Amino acid sequence: MSVHHQLAAVLQEALLAAQVAGALPAFDPPEVIIERPREVSFGDYASPTPLKLARDARMAPIKIAQAIVDHLPATDYIQEVTVAPPGFINIRLTKERLQQVLVEVLAEGEEYGRLHIGDGQKAQIECVSANPTGPIHIGRTRGGVMGDTLARAMRLAGYQVVLEYYYNDAGRQITLLGESTKIRYLQLLGQDVKLAEEHYKGDYISDIARELQAAHGGALQDQPAEYFGTYAKDQIAKSQKETLRRINIVFDVYYNEQSLYETGRVWEALETLQEKGYVYEKDGAQWFKTTEFGDDKDRVLVKSTGEPTYRMPDIAYHWDKAQRGFDLVVDFFGPDHHATAPQVLMGVQALGYPTDFVRTVLHQIISIIKDGQEMKMSTRAGTFVALDDVLDEVGPDPIRYFMISRSGNSPIEFDLNLALERSDKNPVYYIQNAHVRCAGIFRKWAEAGGAPDADAGADLGLLTHENELAFMRKALELPEVIELMVLNSEPHHIAFYAYELAAAFHPAYETCRVLNEDVPEPLRHARLRFYRAAKQLFAHVLGLMGMSAPEVM
C-alpha cells in the first residue's frame, strides 16, 4: 500500500475514533483526502478533509482537525502531525520511513510502484491509427507515445493491456492512394497523365511506383487502381510498423478496417441499429438518430451512394471492442475527433452496450519548431515532417519525452534545437544526466578498486542531509504518480515526475559526495547505497516513459 493510502486509512480510523469518543458528532464520514502540501516546511503530506466536514459536524474546521489528530493511532512511520488554520492536518514522516524507500526501490526494481487497481481486468488502448496512406508524420506521434506510456503504467497497476492500432485501410483515401500510385507508375512509363488536386503527392508515392516498375516493368499498366492501392498500403503499413518500432512502440494487435467489411460486421451493425429503430432513410441515405442521445442533429451513416461515412465502421469497430470483453478501453484521438468520438459511442450505446468502459482522450496539435520557425505539415500535399526524419535528427528519447511533457489538453511546441541541446535547459538531458551521474560514481568506484558489494550492509540511518531526504520524499511519490496516470488516463504525470525527481537529485549529487577522501567509510557506503537506489529509480522511470537510461553522455 502506498504511503498516501496508509495515511488516509490512519486519518479515517482517527476520525471514526473521535466520533466514538464524542469528540465529533455522528455523521457519515467521506473519503479522507491526502495531498502534497504547497511548501515542504508544512510537512510531507497534508489533508484538507476537515474543511469539507464543517457543515456535517457543525464545527469549525480547525476544531475538527484537532479532534482527528487527538485520536490518531500510534504508527512507526509518522514523526509529527500538526494542525494549521483554517483546518489542515499536516503530516511529517520519520527519517527512517524516508530511508526505507531506498530499500524498497532496490528490492522491487522495475516492480517498484506496483499497484493492484487493474488486477484481473482486461484493457485495450487504441492509439496512432494513422491511415496507411503515407509515412507516419510527427503530428501523429503524440497519441502513440501517450498510449504506449499509459500502457506501461497500466501494466504496472495490474491490468492485462492490449495495445492496438486500427488501420483505416478502407474507403475513399485508399482509392485515392491507388490512383496516385498508378499515375506515378504510368508517368515512369512515359505516359502523359497527371495527379488531381485530391491525390497524394509525396515523394514516397513515386518511390513505391519505382519499386513496381523495377519489379514488373510495364506489365502492370492495365491493372486497376485497386491493385496499386493494395500494394501501396501494404508497403506503407510495413514501413509504419518499423518507424514505430524505432520509437519503442510495438503494438499487440493491428486491426484492419477492411476486415469489418470482409466479415460483414459493418452491415451487421447497421442492420442491428435499424432493427432497434435508431436508423431511418432520408434522401436515399441512412441516418442515425443521434439526437435521441443528446446530439444537436442526426448524422448520416451511409450516403445515398451506398458508401458508409467514417462513423459507420468506427461504430462497428467499437461494437467489436465491447464484444471482446474489455473492462476498460482508452482511445487516444487527435483534435479532428472532438466532434465524432461522442457520436461513435452513441452508436455503441444504441447497439445495447453501456459506454462507461470507454475513455476518450483527445489531445491537441503539435507544432514542430526548428531555428525559431514552425514547420508546416500536410500528408496529402507531401509537406509533412516524417517521424523517421525527426528520429534521424534527434533520436527517440526527446520525441517520447516531449510528446508527454504536457497534458493532452495543451498543444505542444516541439523545438528540435532544444531537443539536441546538451545542457540542463533540455529536460531530457537533465533527467538522463541524473542516471549518468549515478553510473559515473560506480564506474569511478570500480576503477579505484572498490568492492562491488561494499554498500550491501550500509547504515541508511546516516543519510540525514536535507538534500538526500528531499530525494527520498520524491522517490516515495512514484506509486501515487502511477495511480494518478492510470485512474485519469493522463500519461503526462510521469514526465512531470521525472523532471521533479531529477530536480531533487542534482542538489544531492552536488552536496553529498561519496568518493572524496574526507567522507567517513560508513557514510561512504550509505551514500553508495543511496546512489545505487537513485540509479535504479531513474532507470525505472525512464523505462516507464519508453526511454533509455544511458551510462554515459
Side-chain angles (χ1 to χ4, degrees):
M1 183 185 295
S2 62
V3 172
H4 74 293
H5 281 305
Q6 286 180 312
L7 295 175
V10 166
L11 291 186
Q12 194 85 34
E13 183 180 345
L15 194 161
L16 294 173
Q19 288 182 314
V20 170
L24 289 176
F27 57 84
D28 188 17
E31 182 178 348
V32 170
I33 299 170
I34 299 292
E35 58 189 24
R36 293 281 175 168
R38 291 188 305 274
E39 297 182 21
V40 176
S41 60
F42 294 159
D44 299 322
Y45 291 88
S47 177
T49 299
L51 300 172
K52 301 179 181 299
L53 300 179
R55 177 178 296 179
D56 290 337
R58 297 184 179 181
M59 292 172 61
I62 193 78
K63 293 184 178 180
I64 298 171
Q66 190 61 57
I68 293 172
V69 170
D70 289 344
H71 290 82
L72 277 173
T75 70
D76 59 359
Y77 56 88
I78 296 177
Q79 175 182 317
E80 180 184 36
V81 182
T82 58
V83 172
F88 287 95
I89 298 175
N90 293 327
I91 304 167
R92 191 174 300 280
L93 302 179
T94 63
K95 291 179 181 178
E96 290 77 12
R97 180 62 188 94
L98 296 177
Q99 293 153 355
Q100 178 64 23
V101 73
L102 304 179
V103 177
E104 294 168 2
V105 167
L106 288 170
E108 297 171 26
E110 293 182 357
E111 290 291 296
Y112 178 63
R114 166 68 64 187
L115 304 175
H116 301 282
I117 297 171
D119 284 1
Q121 297 188 59
K122 289 173 55 182
Q124 186 239 35
I125 296 176
E126 179 198 343
C127 55
V128 184
S129 295
N131 297 341
T133 55
I136 293 179
H137 62 69
I138 194 70
R140 283 286 187 180
T141 308
R142 186 176 188 184
V145 176
M146 290 174 71
D148 182 69
T149 304
L150 181 64
R152 294 165 187 265
M154 289 180 67
R155 291 186 182 111
L156 192 59
Y159 282 96
Q160 179 185 341
V161 181
V162 173
L163 191 65
E164 189 157 313
Y165 190 127
Y166 177 63
Y167 268 123
N168 297 108
D169 62 342
R172 178 64 175 161
Q173 75 273 8
I174 301 300
T175 300
L176 292 172
L177 177 65
E179 292 173 356
S180 305
T181 306
K182 182 172 183 179
I183 289 169
R184 289 301 194 198
Y185 171 79
L186 294 175
Q187 287 175 346
L188 291 172
L189 299 180
Q191 296 188 25
D192 186 18
V193 288
K194 292 182 173 57
L195 294 172
E197 182 64 30
E198 61 183 351
H199 284 140
Y200 293 94
K201 301 175 177 63
D203 290 341
Y204 64 95
I205 299 292
S206 298
D207 292 338
I208 294 171
R210 274 190 287 270
E211 290 175 13
L212 288 168
Q213 185 202 27
H216 303 282
L220 302 178
Q221 55 187 309
D222 293 329
Q223 288 285 351
E226 181 182 359
Y227 172 89
F228 290 86
T230 299
Y231 180 83
K233 76 177 182 181
D234 288 347
Q235 292 302 105
I236 291 170
K238 181 180 177 182
S239 175
Q240 288 177 338
K241 290 179 185 179
E242 182 56 38
T243 299
L244 290 169
R245 194 174 290 111
R246 291 185 65 193
I247 200 172
N248 210 9
I249 300 177
V250 178
F251 285 88
D252 301 302
V253 173
Y254 289 89
Y255 193 109
N256 294 331
E257 179 186 350
Q258 184 63 35
S259 70
L260 294 169
Y261 292 94
E262 293 171 352
T263 60
R265 295 288 283 165
V266 169
W267 308 119
E268 183 184 352
L270 179 63
E271 289 170 8
T272 304
L273 289 172
Q274 290 170 333
E275 291 169 1
K276 290 178 176 292
Y278 289 113
V279 174
Y280 62 92
E281 185 176 333
K282 177 184 174 183
D283 299 328
Q286 299 293 318
W287 291 72
F288 178 26
K289 297 178 181 178
T290 52
T291 50
E292 294 194 15
F293 299 91
D295 203 359
D296 59 343
K297 63 180 180 180
D298 292 341
R299 307 289 174 170
V300 176
L301 291 180
V302 181
K303 301 174 184 177
S304 58
T305 60
E307 180 186 358
T309 64
Y310 48 82
R311 296 181 191 88
M312 191 64 250
D314 282 359
I315 289 172
Y317 175 48
H318 280 76
W319 189 32
D320 179 77
K321 291 186 186 189
Q323 293 173 324
R324 277 190 272 166
F326 291 113
D327 299 288
L328 175 63
V329 166
V330 185
D331 293 331
F332 283 92
F333 295 145
D336 53 336
H337 283 76
H338 279 246
T340 59
Q343 297 159 14
V344 171
L345 295 185
M346 292 172 190
V348 176
Q349 187 176 352
L351 287 165
Y353 284 85
T355 57
D356 53 359
F357 76 102
V358 179
R359 296 180 192 165
T360 302
V361 181
L362 300 168
H363 61 80
Q364 294 297 323
I365 62 172
I366 303 164
S367 301
I368 306 299
I369 309 297
K370 185 173 184 180
D371 300 329
Q373 299 295 318
E374 181 179 348
M375 304 173 71
K376 300 297 182 182
M377 293 181 284
S378 169
T379 303
R380 188 161 294 172
T383 57
F384 55 83
V385 179
L387 174 56
D388 274 320
D389 292 339
V390 183
L391 280 164
D392 290 342
E393 186 164 354
V394 304
D397 290 344
I399 298 172
R400 288 201 63 119
Y401 183 82
F402 281 101
M403 292 300 129
I404 58 168
S405 62
R406 296 285 183 274
S407 163
N409 295 324
S410 303
I412 288 178
E413 284 192 354
F414 183 21
D415 190 327
L416 297 180
N417 299 91
L418 177 61
L420 288 168
E421 188 163 327
R422 296 175 63 82
S423 77
D424 289 349
K425 293 180 181 178
N426 179 357
V428 178
Y429 179 90
Y430 187 64
I431 296 164
Q432 289 181 323
N433 192 38
H435 185 271
V436 169
R437 283 180 152 182
C438 292
I441 288 173
F442 289 99
R443 190 165 53 251
K444 292 175 182 177
W445 174 251
E447 290 169 356
D453 59 348
D455 57 311
D459 180 5
L460 300 183
L462 299 174
L463 301 173
T464 58
H465 193 287
E466 184 50 43
N467 289 341
E468 293 169 333
L469 296 173
F471 178 81
M472 296 176 209
R473 290 188 185 97
K474 186 56 64 174
L476 270 177
E477 287 185 37
L478 182 60
E480 304 166 30
V481 173
I482 299 299
E483 182 174 345
L484 193 60
M485 291 172 66
V486 170
L487 293 181
N488 297 290
S489 299
E490 293 177 338
H492 67 274
H493 294 294
I494 191 67
F496 290 4
Y497 174 77
Y499 188 86
E500 292 168 359
L501 188 69
F505 170 83
H506 289 300
Y509 177 84
E510 296 294 346
T511 56
C512 303
R513 297 297 182 178
V514 184
L515 305 180
N516 290 11
E517 292 182 0
D518 60 346
V519 178
E521 196 73 4
L523 180 58
R524 187 191 317 282
H525 291 166
R527 285 182 174 170
L528 279 172
R529 204 68 178 165
F530 173 87
Y531 287 111
R532 191 180 299 278
K535 183 175 184 288
Q536 169 58 44
L537 183 56
F538 277 109
H540 181 33
V541 170
L542 286 163
L544 285 169
M545 294 189 290
M547 297 166 59
S548 65
E551 297 281 318
V552 294
M553 284 200 304

